[in-house]
Amino acid sequence: MANHVSSLKRARQTEAKTAVNRANKSKLRGTLRTLREAIAKGDSKELKAVYSATVSVLDKSVQKGVLHKNTASRYKSRLNARVKAVVTKAA
């Protein structure tokens, strides 16, 4: 355990930042799960709305440092391909 005042403060800051990062990561996982469920259902209108919300959360997670920008880009690309396949298949 930390003994110095500065190291105690850093420990408190780390706990707070960890809680924020955990909440952001949890929100991200939840939106990804929602999108994957919408893809499984195959409803085009709902899918477009859920996809745009998911992309927004991905971009925000990059800004907040939860994900690397290339990781978010890869997610968006792969999810867009899956959404596109479902939408074109339905049409």
Side-chain angles (χ1 to χ4, degrees), residues 11-51:
R12 288 193 308 270
Q13 289 176 337
T14 301
E15 286 179 20
K17 289 179 183 180
T18 301
V20 169
N21 287 335
R22 187 174 289 139
N24 287 332
K25 193 169 272 196
S26 176
K27 183 176 182 181
L28 173 65
R29 286 192 195 119
T31 56
L32 289 172
R33 186 181 332 104
T34 304
L35 179 62
R36 289 185 183 122
E37 289 171 358
I39 289 171
K41 286 180 188 174
D43 184 17
S44 297
K45 291 182 180 180
E46 179 189 352
L47 196 55
K48 290 177 184 178
V50 173
Y51 176 72

PDB file of all heavy atoms in Angstrom, residues 11-51:
ATOM      1  N   ALA A  11      -3.249   6.880  -6.244  1.00  0.00           N
ATOM      2  CA  ALA A  11      -4.086   5.687  -6.094  1.00  0.00           C
ATOM      3  C   ALA A  11      -5.572   6.054  -6.182  1.00  0.00           C
ATOM      4  O   ALA A  11      -6.355   5.344  -6.827  1.00  0.00           O
ATOM      5  CB  ALA A  11      -3.786   4.995  -4.775  1.00  0.00           C
ATOM      6  N   ARG A  12      -5.947   7.165  -5.554  1.00  0.00           N
ATOM      7  CA  ARG A  12      -7.337   7.621  -5.640  1.00  0.00           C
ATOM      8  C   ARG A  12      -7.705   7.997  -7.074  1.00  0.00           C
ATOM      9  O   ARG A  12      -8.784   7.660  -7.559  1.00  0.00           O
ATOM     10  CB  ARG A  12      -7.570   8.834  -4.724  1.00  0.00           C
ATOM     11  CG  ARG A  12      -7.592   8.525  -3.248  1.00  0.00           C
ATOM     12  CD  ARG A  12      -8.136   9.701  -2.444  1.00  0.00           C
ATOM     13  NE  ARG A  12      -7.485  10.969  -2.726  1.00  0.00           N
ATOM     14  CZ  ARG A  12      -6.407  11.448  -2.094  1.00  0.00           C
ATOM     15  NH1 ARG A  12      -5.848  10.749  -1.108  1.00  0.00           N
ATOM     16  NH2 ARG A  12      -5.895  12.617  -2.406  1.00  0.00           N
ATOM     17  N   GLN A  13      -6.802   8.697  -7.744  1.00  0.00           N
ATOM     18  CA  GLN A  13      -7.060   9.106  -9.126  1.00  0.00           C
ATOM     19  C   GLN A  13      -7.201   7.891 -10.036  1.00  0.00           C
ATOM     20  O   GLN A  13      -8.057   7.862 -10.925  1.00  0.00           O
ATOM     21  CB  GLN A  13      -5.938  10.009  -9.635  1.00  0.00           C
ATOM     22  CG  GLN A  13      -5.927  11.382  -9.019  1.00  0.00           C
ATOM     23  CD  GLN A  13      -4.744  12.217  -9.462  1.00  0.00           C
ATOM     24  OE1 GLN A  13      -3.716  11.684  -9.890  1.00  0.00           O
ATOM     25  NE2 GLN A  13      -4.875  13.528  -9.360  1.00  0.00           N
ATOM     26  N   THR A  14      -6.365   6.898  -9.808  1.00  0.00           N
ATOM     27  CA  THR A  14      -6.416   5.685 -10.616  1.00  0.00           C
ATOM     28  C   THR A  14      -7.750   4.970 -10.444  1.00  0.00           C
ATOM     29  O   THR A  14      -8.335   4.483 -11.416  1.00  0.00           O
ATOM     30  CB  THR A  14      -5.257   4.745 -10.239  1.00  0.00           C
ATOM     31  OG1 THR A  14      -4.031   5.432 -10.457  1.00  0.00           O
ATOM     32  CG2 THR A  14      -5.282   3.471 -11.057  1.00  0.00           C
ATOM     33  N   GLU A  15      -8.250   4.915  -9.209  1.00  0.00           N
ATOM     34  CA  GLU A  15      -9.548   4.278  -8.971  1.00  0.00           C
ATOM     35  C   GLU A  15     -10.661   5.010  -9.714  1.00  0.00           C
ATOM     36  O   GLU A  15     -11.530   4.379 -10.323  1.00  0.00           O
ATOM     37  CB  GLU A  15      -9.868   4.261  -7.475  1.00  0.00           C
ATOM     38  CG  GLU A  15      -9.080   3.252  -6.686  1.00  0.00           C
ATOM     39  CD  GLU A  15      -9.427   3.286  -5.208  1.00  0.00           C
ATOM     40  OE1 GLU A  15     -10.506   3.800  -4.856  1.00  0.00           O
ATOM     41  OE2 GLU A  15      -8.618   2.785  -4.419  1.00  0.00           O
ATOM     42  N   ALA A  16     -10.620   6.335  -9.689  1.00  0.00           N
ATOM     43  CA  ALA A  16     -11.659   7.118 -10.355  1.00  0.00           C
ATOM     44  C   ALA A  16     -11.591   6.924 -11.866  1.00  0.00           C
ATOM     45  O   ALA A  16     -12.615   6.702 -12.533  1.00  0.00           O
ATOM     46  CB  ALA A  16     -11.512   8.590 -10.007  1.00  0.00           C
ATOM     47  N   LYS A  17     -10.383   6.983 -12.424  1.00  0.00           N
ATOM     48  CA  LYS A  17     -10.227   6.820 -13.871  1.00  0.00           C
ATOM     49  C   LYS A  17     -10.592   5.411 -14.310  1.00  0.00           C
ATOM     50  O   LYS A  17     -11.167   5.216 -15.382  1.00  0.00           O
ATOM     51  CB  LYS A  17      -8.796   7.152 -14.282  1.00  0.00           C
ATOM     52  CG  LYS A  17      -8.487   8.624 -14.194  1.00  0.00           C
ATOM     53  CD  LYS A  17      -7.067   8.923 -14.587  1.00  0.00           C
ATOM     54  CE  LYS A  17      -6.762  10.396 -14.428  1.00  0.00           C
ATOM     55  NZ  LYS A  17      -5.379  10.720 -14.798  1.00  0.00           N
ATOM     56  N   THR A  18     -10.265   4.425 -13.489  1.00  0.00           N
ATOM     57  CA  THR A  18     -10.619   3.046 -13.808  1.00  0.00           C
ATOM     58  C   THR A  18     -12.127   2.879 -13.865  1.00  0.00           C
ATOM     59  O   THR A  18     -12.655   2.193 -14.749  1.00  0.00           O
ATOM     60  CB  THR A  18     -10.020   2.087 -12.762  1.00  0.00           C
ATOM     61  OG1 THR A  18      -8.603   2.249 -12.752  1.00  0.00           O
ATOM     62  CG2 THR A  18     -10.360   0.648 -13.074  1.00  0.00           C
ATOM     63  N   ALA A  19     -12.833   3.503 -12.953  1.00  0.00           N
ATOM     64  CA  ALA A  19     -14.298   3.417 -12.943  1.00  0.00           C
ATOM     65  C   ALA A  19     -14.885   4.048 -14.206  1.00  0.00           C
ATOM     66  O   ALA A  19     -15.815   3.490 -14.816  1.00  0.00           O
ATOM     67  CB  ALA A  19     -14.860   4.099 -11.704  1.00  0.00           C
ATOM     68  N   VAL A  20     -14.361   5.184 -14.623  1.00  0.00           N
ATOM     69  CA  VAL A  20     -14.842   5.854 -15.833  1.00  0.00           C
ATOM     70  C   VAL A  20     -14.564   5.004 -17.058  1.00  0.00           C
ATOM     71  O   VAL A  20     -15.438   4.803 -17.912  1.00  0.00           O
ATOM     72  CB  VAL A  20     -14.188   7.251 -15.971  1.00  0.00           C
ATOM     73  CG1 VAL A  20     -14.465   7.849 -17.339  1.00  0.00           C
ATOM     74  CG2 VAL A  20     -14.679   8.171 -14.881  1.00  0.00           C
ATOM     75  N   ASN A  21     -13.336   4.468 -17.148  1.00  0.00           N
ATOM     76  CA  ASN A  21     -12.983   3.633 -18.292  1.00  0.00           C
ATOM     77  C   ASN A  21     -13.835   2.371 -18.345  1.00  0.00           C
ATOM     78  O   ASN A  21     -14.244   1.931 -19.413  1.00  0.00           O
ATOM     79  CB  ASN A  21     -11.501   3.262 -18.252  1.00  0.00           C
ATOM     80  CG  ASN A  21     -10.606   4.425 -18.590  1.00  0.00           C
ATOM     81  OD1 ASN A  21     -11.015   5.346 -19.282  1.00  0.00           O
ATOM     82  ND2 ASN A  21      -9.388   4.385 -18.103  1.00  0.00           N
ATOM     83  N   ARG A  22     -14.099   1.794 -17.187  1.00  0.00           N
ATOM     84  CA  ARG A  22     -14.920   0.585 -17.132  1.00  0.00           C
ATOM     85  C   ARG A  22     -16.346   0.884 -17.604  1.00  0.00           C
ATOM     86  O   ARG A  22     -16.943   0.093 -18.344  1.00  0.00           O
ATOM     87  CB  ARG A  22     -14.931   0.023 -15.718  1.00  0.00           C
ATOM     88  CG  ARG A  22     -15.616  -1.319 -15.601  1.00  0.00           C
ATOM     89  CD  ARG A  22     -15.460  -1.891 -14.218  1.00  0.00           C
ATOM     90  NE  ARG A  22     -14.081  -2.313 -13.991  1.00  0.00           N
ATOM     91  CZ  ARG A  22     -13.404  -2.119 -12.858  1.00  0.00           C
ATOM     92  NH1 ARG A  22     -13.975  -1.516 -11.842  1.00  0.00           N
ATOM     93  NH2 ARG A  22     -12.166  -2.543 -12.741  1.00  0.00           N
ATOM     94  N   ALA A  23     -16.879   2.030 -17.205  1.00  0.00           N
ATOM     95  CA  ALA A  23     -18.232   2.405 -17.628  1.00  0.00           C
ATOM     96  C   ALA A  23     -18.286   2.633 -19.135  1.00  0.00           C
ATOM     97  O   ALA A  23     -19.225   2.195 -19.810  1.00  0.00           O
ATOM     98  CB  ALA A  23     -18.684   3.654 -16.885  1.00  0.00           C
ATOM     99  N   ASN A  24     -17.270   3.304 -19.673  1.00  0.00           N
ATOM    100  CA  ASN A  24     -17.237   3.563 -21.111  1.00  0.00           C
ATOM    101  C   ASN A  24     -17.110   2.261 -21.899  1.00  0.00           C
ATOM    102  O   ASN A  24     -17.764   2.080 -22.929  1.00  0.00           O
ATOM    103  CB  ASN A  24     -16.079   4.502 -21.459  1.00  0.00           C
ATOM    104  CG  ASN A  24     -16.343   5.918 -21.016  1.00  0.00           C
ATOM    105  OD1 ASN A  24     -17.483   6.353 -20.926  1.00  0.00           O
ATOM    106  ND2 ASN A  24     -15.284   6.652 -20.722  1.00  0.00           N
ATOM    107  N   LYS A  25     -16.280   1.371 -21.424  1.00  0.00           N
ATOM    108  CA  LYS A  25     -16.085   0.093 -22.112  1.00  0.00           C
ATOM    109  C   LYS A  25     -17.349  -0.751 -22.037  1.00  0.00           C
ATOM    110  O   LYS A  25     -17.723  -1.432 -23.004  1.00  0.00           O
ATOM    111  CB  LYS A  25     -14.902  -0.656 -21.504  1.00  0.00           C
ATOM    112  CG  LYS A  25     -14.447  -1.835 -22.342  1.00  0.00           C
ATOM    113  CD  LYS A  25     -13.128  -2.373 -21.860  1.00  0.00           C
ATOM    114  CE  LYS A  25     -12.000  -1.641 -22.540  1.00  0.00           C
ATOM    115  NZ  LYS A  25     -10.708  -2.307 -22.424  1.00  0.00           N
ATOM    116  N   SER A  26     -18.047  -0.685 -20.915  1.00  0.00           N
ATOM    117  CA  SER A  26     -19.291  -1.423 -20.760  1.00  0.00           C
ATOM    118  C   SER A  26     -20.358  -0.895 -21.710  1.00  0.00           C
ATOM    119  O   SER A  26     -21.094  -1.675 -22.335  1.00  0.00           O
ATOM    120  CB  SER A  26     -19.769  -1.312 -19.318  1.00  0.00           C
ATOM    121  OG  SER A  26     -21.000  -1.938 -19.158  1.00  0.00           O
ATOM    122  N   LYS A  27     -20.435   0.425 -21.844  1.00  0.00           N
ATOM    123  CA  LYS A  27     -21.388   1.036 -22.767  1.00  0.00           C
ATOM    124  C   LYS A  27     -21.077   0.613 -24.200  1.00  0.00           C
ATOM    125  O   LYS A  27     -21.979   0.299 -24.981  1.00  0.00           O
ATOM    126  CB  LYS A  27     -21.327   2.557 -22.643  1.00  0.00           C
ATOM    127  CG  LYS A  27     -22.310   3.290 -23.505  1.00  0.00           C
ATOM    128  CD  LYS A  27     -22.249   4.778 -23.264  1.00  0.00           C
ATOM    129  CE  LYS A  27     -23.277   5.507 -24.091  1.00  0.00           C
ATOM    130  NZ  LYS A  27     -23.225   6.948 -23.891  1.00  0.00           N
ATOM    131  N   LEU A  28     -19.808   0.578 -24.536  1.00  0.00           N
ATOM    132  CA  LEU A  28     -19.382   0.167 -25.872  1.00  0.00           C
ATOM    133  C   LEU A  28     -19.793  -1.273 -26.146  1.00  0.00           C
ATOM    134  O   LEU A  28     -20.368  -1.580 -27.188  1.00  0.00           O
ATOM    135  CB  LEU A  28     -17.870   0.327 -26.001  1.00  0.00           C
ATOM    136  CG  LEU A  28     -17.232  -0.221 -27.271  1.00  0.00           C
ATOM    137  CD1 LEU A  28     -17.724   0.556 -28.475  1.00  0.00           C
ATOM    138  CD2 LEU A  28     -15.730  -0.161 -27.173  1.00  0.00           C
ATOM    139  N   ARG A  29     -19.523  -2.155 -25.210  1.00  0.00           N
ATOM    140  CA  ARG A  29     -19.877  -3.560 -25.394  1.00  0.00           C
ATOM    141  C   ARG A  29     -21.386  -3.739 -25.535  1.00  0.00           C
ATOM    142  O   ARG A  29     -21.851  -4.567 -26.317  1.00  0.00           O
ATOM    143  CB  ARG A  29     -19.382  -4.384 -24.207  1.00  0.00           C
ATOM    144  CG  ARG A  29     -17.893  -4.609 -24.202  1.00  0.00           C
ATOM    145  CD  ARG A  29     -17.552  -5.678 -23.175  1.00  0.00           C
ATOM    146  NE  ARG A  29     -16.131  -5.683 -22.896  1.00  0.00           N
ATOM    147  CZ  ARG A  29     -15.583  -5.448 -21.717  1.00  0.00           C
ATOM    148  NH1 ARG A  29     -16.340  -5.179 -20.677  1.00  0.00           N
ATOM    149  NH2 ARG A  29     -14.287  -5.483 -21.553  1.00  0.00           N
ATOM    150  N   GLY A  30     -22.135  -2.963 -24.769  1.00  0.00           N
ATOM    151  CA  GLY A  30     -23.594  -3.047 -24.840  1.00  0.00           C
ATOM    152  C   GLY A  30     -24.131  -2.635 -26.198  1.00  0.00           C
ATOM    153  O   GLY A  30     -25.020  -3.295 -26.749  1.00  0.00           O
ATOM    154  N   THR A  31     -23.590  -1.566 -26.764  1.00  0.00           N
ATOM    155  CA  THR A  31     -24.057  -1.116 -28.074  1.00  0.00           C
ATOM    156  C   THR A  31     -23.652  -2.103 -29.164  1.00  0.00           C
ATOM    157  O   THR A  31     -24.418  -2.336 -30.106  1.00  0.00           O
ATOM    158  CB  THR A  31     -23.536   0.285 -28.420  1.00  0.00           C
ATOM    159  OG1 THR A  31     -22.122   0.300 -28.339  1.00  0.00           O
ATOM    160  CG2 THR A  31     -24.114   1.322 -27.495  1.00  0.00           C
ATOM    161  N   LEU A  32     -22.462  -2.680 -29.038  1.00  0.00           N
ATOM    162  CA  LEU A  32     -22.042  -3.690 -30.015  1.00  0.00           C
ATOM    163  C   LEU A  32     -22.961  -4.908 -29.945  1.00  0.00           C
ATOM    164  O   LEU A  32     -23.337  -5.478 -30.980  1.00  0.00           O
ATOM    165  CB  LEU A  32     -20.589  -4.102 -29.772  1.00  0.00           C
ATOM    166  CG  LEU A  32     -19.525  -3.064 -30.117  1.00  0.00           C
ATOM    167  CD1 LEU A  32     -18.160  -3.528 -29.652  1.00  0.00           C
ATOM    168  CD2 LEU A  32     -19.514  -2.782 -31.602  1.00  0.00           C
ATOM    169  N   ARG A  33     -23.340  -5.304 -28.734  1.00  0.00           N
ATOM    170  CA  ARG A  33     -24.247  -6.437 -28.568  1.00  0.00           C
ATOM    171  C   ARG A  33     -25.607  -6.126 -29.181  1.00  0.00           C
ATOM    172  O   ARG A  33     -26.197  -6.963 -29.882  1.00  0.00           O
ATOM    173  CB  ARG A  33     -24.408  -6.783 -27.089  1.00  0.00           C
ATOM    174  CG  ARG A  33     -25.230  -8.037 -26.851  1.00  0.00           C
ATOM    175  CD  ARG A  33     -25.431  -8.382 -25.389  1.00  0.00           C
ATOM    176  NE  ARG A  33     -24.390  -7.942 -24.476  1.00  0.00           N
ATOM    177  CZ  ARG A  33     -24.491  -6.906 -23.645  1.00  0.00           C
ATOM    178  NH1 ARG A  33     -25.606  -6.197 -23.604  1.00  0.00           N
ATOM    179  NH2 ARG A  33     -23.514  -6.588 -22.824  1.00  0.00           N
ATOM    180  N   THR A  34     -26.094  -4.903 -28.967  1.00  0.00           N
ATOM    181  CA  THR A  34     -27.381  -4.491 -29.523  1.00  0.00           C
ATOM    182  C   THR A  34     -27.350  -4.538 -31.048  1.00  0.00           C
ATOM    183  O   THR A  34     -28.309  -4.996 -31.682  1.00  0.00           O
ATOM    184  CB  THR A  34     -27.733  -3.068 -29.060  1.00  0.00           C
ATOM    185  OG1 THR A  34     -27.709  -3.024 -27.636  1.00  0.00           O
ATOM    186  CG2 THR A  34     -29.096  -2.646 -29.547  1.00  0.00           C
ATOM    187  N   LEU A  35     -26.244  -4.082 -31.632  1.00  0.00           N
ATOM    188  CA  LEU A  35     -26.126  -4.102 -33.090  1.00  0.00           C
ATOM    189  C   LEU A  35     -26.084  -5.532 -33.612  1.00  0.00           C
ATOM    190  O   LEU A  35     -26.740  -5.856 -34.604  1.00  0.00           O
ATOM    191  CB  LEU A  35     -24.883  -3.337 -33.541  1.00  0.00           C
ATOM    192  CG  LEU A  35     -24.655  -3.309 -35.048  1.00  0.00           C
ATOM    193  CD1 LEU A  35     -25.819  -2.615 -35.753  1.00  0.00           C
ATOM    194  CD2 LEU A  35     -23.352  -2.613 -35.388  1.00  0.00           C
ATOM    195  N   ARG A  36     -25.347  -6.393 -32.945  1.00  0.00           N
ATOM    196  CA  ARG A  36     -25.271  -7.789 -33.397  1.00  0.00           C
ATOM    197  C   ARG A  36     -26.635  -8.475 -33.303  1.00  0.00           C
ATOM    198  O   ARG A  36     -26.990  -9.288 -34.152  1.00  0.00           O
ATOM    199  CB  ARG A  36     -24.224  -8.544 -32.587  1.00  0.00           C
ATOM    200  CG  ARG A  36     -22.815  -8.098 -32.934  1.00  0.00           C
ATOM    201  CD  ARG A  36     -21.759  -8.925 -32.237  1.00  0.00           C
ATOM    202  NE  ARG A  36     -20.435  -8.397 -32.565  1.00  0.00           N
ATOM    203  CZ  ARG A  36     -19.564  -7.965 -31.673  1.00  0.00           C
ATOM    204  NH1 ARG A  36     -19.849  -8.008 -30.387  1.00  0.00           N
ATOM    205  NH2 ARG A  36     -18.395  -7.495 -32.042  1.00  0.00           N
ATOM    206  N   GLU A  37     -27.406  -8.136 -32.276  1.00  0.00           N
ATOM    207  CA  GLU A  37     -28.759  -8.689 -32.151  1.00  0.00           C
ATOM    208  C   GLU A  37     -29.663  -8.160 -33.265  1.00  0.00           C
ATOM    209  O   GLU A  37     -30.479  -8.898 -33.816  1.00  0.00           O
ATOM    210  CB  GLU A  37     -29.339  -8.351 -30.787  1.00  0.00           C
ATOM    211  CG  GLU A  37     -28.695  -9.113 -29.650  1.00  0.00           C
ATOM    212  CD  GLU A  37     -29.122  -8.613 -28.276  1.00  0.00           C
ATOM    213  OE1 GLU A  37     -29.893  -7.634 -28.196  1.00  0.00           O
ATOM    214  OE2 GLU A  37     -28.668  -9.213 -27.281  1.00  0.00           O
ATOM    215  N   ALA A  38     -29.511  -6.880 -33.621  1.00  0.00           N
ATOM    216  CA  ALA A  38     -30.302  -6.299 -34.700  1.00  0.00           C
ATOM    217  C   ALA A  38     -29.931  -6.935 -36.037  1.00  0.00           C
ATOM    218  O   ALA A  38     -30.799  -7.156 -36.892  1.00  0.00           O
ATOM    219  CB  ALA A  38     -30.097  -4.789 -34.752  1.00  0.00           C
ATOM    220  N   ILE A  39     -28.656  -7.241 -36.225  1.00  0.00           N
ATOM    221  CA  ILE A  39     -28.221  -7.930 -37.446  1.00  0.00           C
ATOM    222  C   ILE A  39     -28.862  -9.313 -37.516  1.00  0.00           C
ATOM    223  O   ILE A  39     -29.312  -9.759 -38.573  1.00  0.00           O
ATOM    224  CB  ILE A  39     -26.679  -8.029 -37.501  1.00  0.00           C
ATOM    225  CG1 ILE A  39     -26.069  -6.644 -37.760  1.00  0.00           C
ATOM    226  CG2 ILE A  39     -26.229  -9.008 -38.577  1.00  0.00           C
ATOM    227  CD1 ILE A  39     -24.568  -6.586 -37.620  1.00  0.00           C
ATOM    228  N   ALA A  40     -28.921  -9.989 -36.387  1.00  0.00           N
ATOM    229  CA  ALA A  40     -29.525 -11.321 -36.347  1.00  0.00           C
ATOM    230  C   ALA A  40     -31.016 -11.261 -36.684  1.00  0.00           C
ATOM    231  O   ALA A  40     -31.540 -12.156 -37.360  1.00  0.00           O
ATOM    232  CB  ALA A  40     -29.317 -11.953 -34.977  1.00  0.00           C
ATOM    233  N   LYS A  41     -31.707 -10.198 -36.226  1.00  0.00           N
ATOM    234  CA  LYS A  41     -33.135 -10.045 -36.532  1.00  0.00           C
ATOM    235  C   LYS A  41     -33.338  -9.757 -38.011  1.00  0.00           C
ATOM    236  O   LYS A  41     -34.248 -10.273 -38.630  1.00  0.00           O
ATOM    237  CB  LYS A  41     -33.746  -8.918 -35.711  1.00  0.00           C
ATOM    238  CG  LYS A  41     -33.948  -9.230 -34.263  1.00  0.00           C
ATOM    239  CD  LYS A  41     -34.570  -8.039 -33.547  1.00  0.00           C
ATOM    240  CE  LYS A  41     -34.616  -8.237 -32.057  1.00  0.00           C
ATOM    241  NZ  LYS A  41     -35.085  -7.020 -31.372  1.00  0.00           N
ATOM    242  N   GLY A  42     -32.513  -8.854 -38.564  1.00  0.00           N
ATOM    243  CA  GLY A  42     -32.595  -8.538 -39.986  1.00  0.00           C
ATOM    244  C   GLY A  42     -33.536  -7.402 -40.345  1.00  0.00           C
ATOM    245  O   GLY A  42     -33.861  -7.223 -41.511  1.00  0.00           O
ATOM    246  N   ASP A  43     -33.988  -6.613 -39.382  1.00  0.00           N
ATOM    247  CA  ASP A  43     -34.874  -5.480 -39.651  1.00  0.00           C
ATOM    248  C   ASP A  43     -34.045  -4.296 -40.151  1.00  0.00           C
ATOM    249  O   ASP A  43     -33.225  -3.740 -39.424  1.00  0.00           O
ATOM    250  CB  ASP A  43     -35.633  -5.096 -38.381  1.00  0.00           C
ATOM    251  CG  ASP A  43     -36.649  -3.996 -38.613  1.00  0.00           C
ATOM    252  OD1 ASP A  43     -37.002  -3.753 -39.792  1.00  0.00           O
ATOM    253  OD2 ASP A  43     -37.098  -3.388 -37.630  1.00  0.00           O
ATOM    254  N   SER A  44     -34.268  -3.901 -41.410  1.00  0.00           N
ATOM    255  CA  SER A  44     -33.417  -2.892 -42.056  1.00  0.00           C
ATOM    256  C   SER A  44     -33.500  -1.521 -41.396  1.00  0.00           C
ATOM    257  O   SER A  44     -32.474  -0.881 -41.164  1.00  0.00           O
ATOM    258  CB  SER A  44     -33.798  -2.755 -43.531  1.00  0.00           C
ATOM    259  OG  SER A  44     -33.563  -3.958 -44.201  1.00  0.00           O
ATOM    260  N   LYS A  45     -34.707  -1.061 -41.082  1.00  0.00           N
ATOM    261  CA  LYS A  45     -34.855   0.287 -40.525  1.00  0.00           C
ATOM    262  C   LYS A  45     -34.233   0.376 -39.133  1.00  0.00           C
ATOM    263  O   LYS A  45     -33.528   1.334 -38.819  1.00  0.00           O
ATOM    264  CB  LYS A  45     -36.325   0.677 -40.475  1.00  0.00           C
ATOM    265  CG  LYS A  45     -36.920   0.883 -41.848  1.00  0.00           C
ATOM    266  CD  LYS A  45     -38.350   1.322 -41.781  1.00  0.00           C
ATOM    267  CE  LYS A  45     -38.905   1.518 -43.177  1.00  0.00           C
ATOM    268  NZ  LYS A  45     -40.300   1.940 -43.169  1.00  0.00           N
ATOM    269  N   GLU A  46     -34.514  -0.607 -38.320  1.00  0.00           N
ATOM    270  CA  GLU A  46     -33.933  -0.621 -36.972  1.00  0.00           C
ATOM    271  C   GLU A  46     -32.416  -0.746 -37.057  1.00  0.00           C
ATOM    272  O   GLU A  46     -31.684  -0.119 -36.290  1.00  0.00           O
ATOM    273  CB  GLU A  46     -34.501  -1.788 -36.168  1.00  0.00           C
ATOM    274  CG  GLU A  46     -33.926  -1.896 -34.769  1.00  0.00           C
ATOM    275  CD  GLU A  46     -34.323  -3.168 -34.059  1.00  0.00           C
ATOM    276  OE1 GLU A  46     -35.166  -3.905 -34.575  1.00  0.00           O
ATOM    277  OE2 GLU A  46     -33.757  -3.411 -32.978  1.00  0.00           O
ATOM    278  N   LEU A  47     -31.957  -1.530 -38.001  1.00  0.00           N
ATOM    279  CA  LEU A  47     -30.531  -1.795 -38.165  1.00  0.00           C
ATOM    280  C   LEU A  47     -29.754  -0.523 -38.481  1.00  0.00           C
ATOM    281  O   LEU A  47     -28.683  -0.289 -37.918  1.00  0.00           O
ATOM    282  CB  LEU A  47     -30.343  -2.825 -39.273  1.00  0.00           C
ATOM    283  CG  LEU A  47     -29.015  -3.517 -39.387  1.00  0.00           C
ATOM    284  CD1 LEU A  47     -28.649  -4.178 -38.076  1.00  0.00           C
ATOM    285  CD2 LEU A  47     -29.058  -4.546 -40.490  1.00  0.00           C
ATOM    286  N   LYS A  48     -30.308   0.308 -39.347  1.00  0.00           N
ATOM    287  CA  LYS A  48     -29.624   1.553 -39.706  1.00  0.00           C
ATOM    288  C   LYS A  48     -29.493   2.487 -38.504  1.00  0.00           C
ATOM    289  O   LYS A  48     -28.448   3.107 -38.295  1.00  0.00           O
ATOM    290  CB  LYS A  48     -30.352   2.244 -40.850  1.00  0.00           C
ATOM    291  CG  LYS A  48     -30.222   1.503 -42.166  1.00  0.00           C
ATOM    292  CD  LYS A  48     -31.009   2.162 -43.260  1.00  0.00           C
ATOM    293  CE  LYS A  48     -30.941   1.367 -44.544  1.00  0.00           C
ATOM    294  NZ  LYS A  48     -31.746   1.956 -45.617  1.00  0.00           N
ATOM    295  N   ALA A  49     -30.557   2.573 -37.716  1.00  0.00           N
ATOM    296  CA  ALA A  49     -30.527   3.441 -36.541  1.00  0.00           C
ATOM    297  C   ALA A  49     -29.546   2.924 -35.500  1.00  0.00           C
ATOM    298  O   ALA A  49     -28.757   3.692 -34.924  1.00  0.00           O
ATOM    299  CB  ALA A  49     -31.924   3.539 -35.933  1.00  0.00           C
ATOM    300  N   VAL A  50     -29.551   1.627 -35.289  1.00  0.00           N
ATOM    301  CA  VAL A  50     -28.647   1.036 -34.296  1.00  0.00           C
ATOM    302  C   VAL A  50     -27.202   1.148 -34.774  1.00  0.00           C
ATOM    303  O   VAL A  50     -26.300   1.409 -33.971  1.00  0.00           O
ATOM    304  CB  VAL A  50     -29.028  -0.441 -34.035  1.00  0.00           C
ATOM    305  CG1 VAL A  50     -28.006  -1.119 -33.152  1.00  0.00           C
ATOM    306  CG2 VAL A  50     -30.402  -0.530 -33.403  1.00  0.00           C
ATOM    307  N   TYR A  51     -26.974   0.987 -36.074  1.00  0.00           N
ATOM    308  CA  TYR A  51     -25.620   1.103 -36.608  1.00  0.00           C
ATOM    309  C   TYR A  51     -25.064   2.507 -36.401  1.00  0.00           C
ATOM    310  O   TYR A  51     -23.915   2.670 -35.981  1.00  0.00           O
ATOM    311  CB  TYR A  51     -25.584   0.746 -38.096  1.00  0.00           C
ATOM    312  CG  TYR A  51     -24.223   0.940 -38.708  1.00  0.00           C
ATOM    313  CD1 TYR A  51     -23.184   0.072 -38.416  1.00  0.00           C
ATOM    314  CD2 TYR A  51     -23.963   2.012 -39.551  1.00  0.00           C
ATOM    315  CE1 TYR A  51     -21.922   0.263 -38.954  1.00  0.00           C
ATOM    316  CE2 TYR A  51     -22.717   2.204 -40.095  1.00  0.00           C
ATOM    317  CZ  TYR A  51     -21.691   1.327 -39.804  1.00  0.00           C
ATOM    318  OH  TYR A  51     -20.448   1.526 -40.330  1.00  0.00           O
TER     319      TYR A  51
END
